[in-house]
Amino acid sequence: MKKLFLFFISFCILLLFGCSKDFLKRYEKRIIGTWRISDINRIGIGGSSNLPFTSGTFTFHDDGSLEYINSANTIFKGTWQIDKKVMDDQTYRSLQITAVDFNNQQVLSEYYDNIIFTSTNHFKAEINSNFQTYITHFRR
């Protein structure tokens, strides 16, 4: 019985140290790095989408700054911020992104109502707009 117990404890320790610890990090630390938009799902009825970010690559820096490169290779510089909200015993994290192309004075901004990390290399950002919900998938 002792050998089985020691084997079980050893297995648990190896499992704990062998797995990624990303789920223990704050969202502000997990988002740091380069992400691309891999897909956008639209749920609901009516209207057309006027989303400012439909493709491209984001680089989130730990100082709250970001760089966004769209599909036409235009470089935008800006900021990002994650806020934590608790409503009805549920925790939500919103993401605000603002990016500016200083050459053309074009400003892009989006407020994601909720972001959820599904793995180390994937998170979903949700926008609720009237009768529609847009879910943007970001991947490393």
Side-chain angles (χ1 to χ4, degrees):
M1 187 70 172
K2 279 186 177 180
K3 288 183 183 180
L4 184 61
F5 180 73
L6 288 174
F7 174 75
F8 179 72
I9 294 296
S10 300
F11 179 75
C12 289
I13 289 171
L14 285 174
L15 186 64
L16 180 66
F17 287 110
C19 296
S20 171
K21 307 298 181 294
D22 262 0
F23 70 93
L24 298 174
K25 291 181 184 176
R26 296 172 42 121
Y27 272 45
E28 290 83 355
K29 297 292 183 191
R30 292 174 76 177
I31 201 169
I32 303 303
T34 301
W35 299 84
R36 66 178 170 77
I37 295 176
S38 63
D39 193 18
I40 298 176
N41 299 35
R42 183 178 129 190
I43 303 167
I45 57 172
S48 63
S49 67
N50 269 341
L51 301 177
F53 305 110
T54 56
S55 63
T57 304
F58 293 85
T59 302
F60 295 94
H61 301 282
D62 60 357
D63 64 355
S65 66
L66 71 83
E67 182 177 274
Y68 168 65
I69 302 173
N70 67 9
S71 57
N73 287 327
T74 304
I75 299 173
F76 292 76
K77 303 275 185 179
T79 60
W80 64 272
Q81 180 178 338
I82 294 177
D83 291 319
K84 181 178 177 181
K85 298 177 185 175
V86 178
M87 294 172 39
D88 300 326
D89 296 331
Q90 293 275 25
T91 301
Y92 300 94
R93 287 175 180 82
S94 62
L95 173 63
Q96 172 72 40
I97 297 175
T98 303
V100 179
D101 172 8
F102 290 102
N103 294 327
N104 297 321
Q105 301 300 311
Q106 182 182 10
V107 178
L108 302 176
S109 183
E110 188 61 79
Y111 179 82
Y112 295 96
D113 299 301
N114 192 25
I115 62 170
I116 301 167
F117 280 88
T118 58
S119 72
T120 301
N121 299 320
H122 178 236
F123 76 91
K124 299 185 291 187
E126 185 176 295
I127 302 168
N128 296 310
S129 175
N130 297 325
F131 295 109
Q132 295 179 353
T133 299
Y134 299 94
I135 301 172
T136 304
H137 295 264
F138 291 83
R139 295 197 185 272
R140 285 198 197 268

